[in-house]
Amino acid sequence: MISLAEENYLKSIYHLSQAGSKSVLTNELAEAMNTKAASVTDMIKKLSTKEFISYEKYYGVNLTAKGKAVALSVIRKHRLWETFLVEKLAFSWDEVHEVAEQLEHIQSKRLIEKLDEYLGFPKVDPHGDPIPDNNGKIKALQQVMLATLKPGADSTIVAVRDSDSHLLKYLDKIGARPGKIIKVIEREEYDGSMEVSINNQRFFLSKEVSENILVNA
Amino acid sequence: MISLAEENYLKSIYHLSQAGSKSVLTNELAEAMNTKAASVTDMIKKLSTKEFISYEKYYGVNLTAKGKAVALSVIRKHRLWETFLVEKLAFSWDEVHEVAEQLEHIQSKRLIEKLDEYLGFPKVDPHGDPIPDNNGKIKALQQVMLATLKPGADSTIVAVRDSDSHLLKYLDKIGARPGKIIKVIEREEYDGSMEVSINNQRFFLSKEVSENILVNA
DNA sequence: ATATTATTTTAGGCTTGTCTAAAATAATAT
DNA sequence: ATATTATTTTAGACAAGCCTAAAATAATAT
């Protein structure tokens, strides 16, 4: 008995608590959920009563084991559906997110088991993000922002952080996909931009872009 | 701008108006939607304002062209997803309905186009029901209830009316699937039950069952 | 240590979709 | 033609999830 809105909040809390290691604050969550702080407080209370999160007034929230399990199950579904859309329906990389946001809420254990099997039990989704298993176990990838690499370093792209469709389209165009090798040629200190090579082609990436590309540590 | 509840109402109205040829009455709809007449009246007003139905107080509703288009689009999605579940994910016939009830509300034109293509542009779903095309055209099958056939007649099963999972399981067990040939051996007048043969095996079917099996006219 | 600023919560209200109980209307039986 | 019964609508209420504006609390600056 968990609503769509509740699932989305739990998923967001999970992602935000992965980013920083502290409690997730009301305003952070409001921004992530595209809503107002007051609405977040309402929902937080509900989730807390249902014991999906622990909540200390004015000091943010943390997922309980129960809440984390829900979040990971939603993420699992999201990533399996994204894989399906790209591998089977020939969606391109940048088109899948919105649709997967809907599909992730379909309730049917059997469906997800069958889908997983149909896809050959994939370990990562098309963005390179790991797919949690049936028990909510997820392999933490050793990933760092491309932005942090020094000139001369080369590394494999494992994931893209933002799911903004303009970014994904751009990355697709220059061939910056998970699995690809990327090499840092030069880095400008004053604005954090860098020149890189992918497939033996050179590109300039702004700091915004290079912070969104995650590579092997 | 159409909600899940609205889509479900329109779908139900469509199905009910296929069954009988008159306006769909509030109580019929209430029963079909598993809700109360007062709730139906509320929703009917909203759908009427939005011009999905025409509504005469106390005399029931009819779909407008606009409303029919929505209903058929939902039905199209439902039937394509059912086909996917059975053909690709190896669901059995009787398991798909519930899941398809959820999947039919996913909003993405592109997804449905791709799914249709992936399935090879099927014309009927696993229950033998026709799949409306992209423009909402649906081929009306010439179908009659098995219950109306006379002894000696043989005919091809084209669809099953009720989607109750017990019924579907039972029909699956005796091999009564769309495409199969069924022959009426004998019919009891007093209770409407009949003896039939499928795959050269004989079965007794109650009137309830034989009214739910639809065959070629 | 206190004042200012930023964040969070509370209070009260809105919409959607549901409900029950009562009133209105239509259908049916005498 | 009128009374009874069945159906439908109205009225008023409620939960979920959101909102704005105001109040409370925490963080920060002096």
Side-chain angles (χ1 to χ4, degrees):
Chain A
M1 306 312 83
I2 180 157
S3 74
L4 195 140
E6 288 169 344
E7 284 193 347
N8 281 331
Y9 270 91
L10 292 174
K11 186 178 56 148
S12 244
I13 294 169
Y14 177 85
H15 285 311
L16 289 170
S17 53
Q18 290 302 104
S21 60
K22 332 200 52 162
S23 292
V24 175
L25 303 177
T26 303
N27 266 358
E28 287 173 3
L29 200 41
E31 190 177 355
M33 295 294 299
N34 238 297
T35 184
K36 296 299 156 73
S39 310
V40 171
T41 301
D42 287 346
M43 180 55 92
I44 273 175
K45 282 186 194 160
K46 209 199 325 175
L47 292 174
S48 180
T49 307
K50 292 192 175 182
E51 299 187 301
F52 290 120
I53 59 178
S54 60
Y55 166 46
E56 213 183 329
K57 249 184 174 185
Y58 293 101
Y59 292 94
V61 303
N62 285 98
L63 289 174
T64 61
K66 193 176 151 193
K68 193 173 166 185
V70 172
L72 284 167
S73 142
V74 175
I75 291 167
R76 170 172 163 77
K77 289 190 272 180
H78 183 102
R79 293 182 179 168
L80 284 173
W81 279 116
E82 283 203 343
T83 306
F84 169 73
L85 294 173
V86 169
E87 307 249 309
K88 301 293 184 182
L89 296 197
F91 271 74
S92 75
W93 211 42
D94 52 290
E95 300 170 311
V96 295
H97 190 71
E98 274 179 75
V99 184
E101 287 286 300
Q102 299 179 61
L103 287 164
E104 73 190 7
H105 299 291
I106 303 290
Q107 305 284 11
S108 166
K109 269 187 193 165
R110 202 156 158 59
L111 174 60
I112 289 305
E113 280 165 24
K114 295 243 185 202
L115 184 63
D116 193 20
E117 183 183 353
Y118 187 58
L119 297 172
F121 306 105
K123 295 282 169 281
V124 295
D125 75 9
H127 303 94
D129 293 313
I131 300 176
D133 73 16
N134 225 335
N135 307 310
K137 286 214 173 83
I138 185 170
K139 204 189 281 174
L141 287 189
Q142 295 282 45
Q143 48 190 38
V144 298
M145 294 185 293
L146 174 63
T148 66
L149 294 193
K150 302 222 167 65
D154 59 343
S155 191
T156 305
I157 299 179
V158 293
V160 171
R161 200 189 244 165
D162 196 337
S163 51
D164 176 86
S165 125
H166 290 95
L167 174 65
L168 295 181
K169 226 170 221 134
Y170 174 65
L171 295 183
D172 209 45
K173 200 171 75 187
I174 68 175
R177 267 172 264 210
K180 286 297 174 87
I181 289 177
I182 191 166
K183 179 167 183 175
V184 180
I185 311 283
E186 211 172 334
R187 201 182 114 93
E188 294 299 341
E189 281 310 322
Y190 75 100
D191 68 352
S193 70
M194 47 172 56
E195 191 182 1
V196 300
S197 98
I198 305 167
N199 295 331
N200 281 320
Q201 286 190 284
R202 290 182 173 210
F203 303 98
F204 277 100
L205 303 182
S206 71
K207 190 180 176 198
E208 287 74 43
V209 171
S210 68
E211 283 180 341
N212 271 299
I213 296 177
L214 301 176
V215 298
N216 272 343
Chain B
M1 304 302 79
I2 181 160
S3 74
L4 194 140
E6 288 169 344
E7 284 193 347
N8 282 330
Y9 271 91
L10 292 174
K11 186 179 55 148
S12 245
I13 294 168
Y14 178 86
H15 285 312
L16 290 170
S17 53
Q18 289 302 104
S21 60
K22 330 201 55 163
S23 292
V24 174
L25 303 177
T26 303
N27 265 358
E28 287 173 3
L29 200 41
E31 189 176 356
M33 296 294 299
N34 237 297
T35 184
K36 297 298 155 73
S39 310
V40 170
T41 301
D42 288 344
M43 179 56 92
I44 272 176
K45 283 186 195 159
K46 208 199 323 176
L47 292 173
S48 180
T49 307
K50 293 192 174 182
E51 299 189 298
F52 289 120
I53 58 178
S54 60
Y55 166 46
E56 213 184 328
K57 249 185 175 185
Y58 292 101
Y59 292 92
V61 302
N62 284 99
L63 289 174
T64 62
K66 194 177 151 194
K68 194 174 167 185
V70 172
L72 283 167
S73 142
V74 175
I75 290 166
R76 170 170 163 79
K77 289 190 272 180
H78 184 102
R79 292 181 180 167
L80 283 172
W81 280 116
E82 284 201 344
T83 305
F84 168 74
L85 294 172
V86 169
E87 307 249 309
K88 302 293 184 181
L89 297 197
F91 270 74
S92 76
W93 213 41
D94 52 290
E95 300 169 312
V96 295
H97 190 71
E98 274 180 75
V99 183
E101 288 285 300
Q102 298 179 61
L103 287 165
E104 73 190 7
H105 300 292
I106 303 290
Q107 305 285 11
S108 166
K109 269 189 192 163
R110 204 156 157 59
L111 174 60
I112 288 306
E113 280 165 24
K114 295 248 187 199
L115 184 63
D116 194 20
E117 183 183 352
Y118 187 58
L119 297 173
F121 306 105
K123 296 280 166 287
V124 295
D125 77 8
H127 304 94
D129 292 313
I131 300 175
D133 74 16
N134 226 336
N135 307 309
K137 287 214 174 83
I138 184 170
K139 202 189 283 175
L141 288 189
Q142 295 282 45
Q143 49 189 37
V144 297
M145 294 186 291
L146 174 62
T148 65
L149 294 193
K150 301 224 168 63
D154 59 342
S155 190
T156 304
I157 298 179
V158 293
V160 171
R161 199 189 246 164
D162 195 337
S163 51
D164 175 86
S165 124
H166 290 95
L167 173 66
L168 295 181
K169 226 169 221 133
Y170 173 66
L171 295 183
D172 208 46
K173 199 170 75 189
I174 68 175
R177 269 173 263 212
K180 286 299 174 84
I181 290 177
I182 191 167
K183 180 168 184 176
V184 180
I185 311 284
E186 211 173 333
R187 201 182 113 91
E188 294 297 342
E189 282 308 323
Y190 75 99
D191 68 352
S193 69
M194 47 173 57
E195 191 182 2
V196 300
S197 97
I198 305 167
N199 294 333
N200 281 321
Q201 285 188 284
R202 291 182 173 209
F203 302 97
F204 277 100
L205 302 182
S206 70
K207 191 181 175 194
E208 285 75 43
V209 171
S210 68
E211 284 180 340
N212 271 298
I213 297 177
L214 301 177
V215 297
N216 272 343

